[in-house]
Amino acid sequence: EAGVAQSPRYKIIEKRQSVAFWCNPISGHATLYWYQQILGQGPKLLIQFQNNGVVDDSQLPKDRFSAERLKGVDSTLKIQPAKLEDSAVYLCASSSTGVAGELFFGEGSRLTVL
Amino acid sequence: SQQGEEDPQALSIQEGENATMNCSYKTSINNLQWYRQNSGRGLVHLILIRSNEREKHSGRLRVTLDTSKKSSSLLITASRAADTASYFCATGFSGNTPLVFGKGTRLSVIA
């Protein structure tokens, strides 16, 4: 079974530029999550999708971050404009159930903002 | 906000020794999960313990849960160099509420 795919693995941009990350969850997983992990900390939820609907985006900085999952499969997370404090690893995860079950994570996309 | 708090923040042991990590949380939970993260990689699920369970085993892993103290522990027996990683507890709730992760314990196993 293929795992959660993410790209790109690494991205370096200047502040105020934009960046987009892509995630393809495990086939059949209805729930998709984007987490932000700053160096030395645990993952912090940015947004949770159930199929193509948003379940929780309360911690997403909506003035600069946006995410979509138009067909209920893959998802894109965008940051525009980026700030220095956005430097982090962006982890995508999926699960077959939205009820606090096991999460399957991708390898992450490491963003460095200069 | 991060619900779980792992203790210690960092742990260094010799190969063959046991490693114990603790997690404390603040509110009622449906389950508690432990994940491992190797450097530069994604998180990997290790074990899930439900709120009505007290202890669970998986290979060299033993997890306990004390809901009265709002705490859990992860024991890795006979550690190996390959166990070197960060370990995170995550609290799960009922409904669609997503997992909340702690800050993690960095484990170093020295060969």
Side-chain angles (χ1 to χ4, degrees), chain B residues 30-88:
Chain B
N30 174 281
N31 65 70
L32 189 141
Q33 303 179 32
W34 286 91
Y35 288 78
R36 184 188 74 228
Q37 185 178 36
N38 290 86
S39 181
R41 308 296 295 273
L43 281 76
V44 174
H45 181 264
L46 294 176
I47 196 165
L48 181 155
I49 186 165
R50 303 193 186 283
S51 59
N52 60 354
E53 297 175 311
R54 292 297 167 257
E55 187 171 312
K56 204 162 183 179
H57 296 253
S58 176
R60 292 183 298 112
L61 306 180
R62 172 178 168 253
V63 170
T64 62
L65 179 64
D66 186 335
T67 53
S68 66
K69 294 181 179 178
K70 292 188 170 58
S71 68
S72 173
S73 67
L74 171 67
L75 169 68
I76 304 174
T77 60
S79 63
R80 306 166 182 168
D83 295 328
T84 294
S86 290
Y87 292 82
F88 296 91

Side-chain angles (χ1 to χ4, degrees), chain A residues 18-41:
Chain A
S18 63
V19 62
F21 302 112
W22 173 82
C23 171
N24 193 27
I26 291 173
S27 177
H29 280 192
T31 310
L32 184 149
Y33 310 80
W34 283 101
Y35 282 87
Q36 179 193 57
Q37 186 178 26
I38 292 172
L39 186 65
Q41 297 185 20

Side-chain angles (χ1 to χ4, degrees), chain B residues 3-25:
Chain B
Q3 160 85 316
E5 292 246 353
E6 289 91 340
D7 170 61
Q9 289 187 4
L11 179 61
S12 184
I13 60 174
Q14 297 287 330
E15 203 167 33
E17 293 181 338
N18 295 342
T20 300
M21 290 159 265
N22 303 296
C23 171
S24 59
Y25 57 92

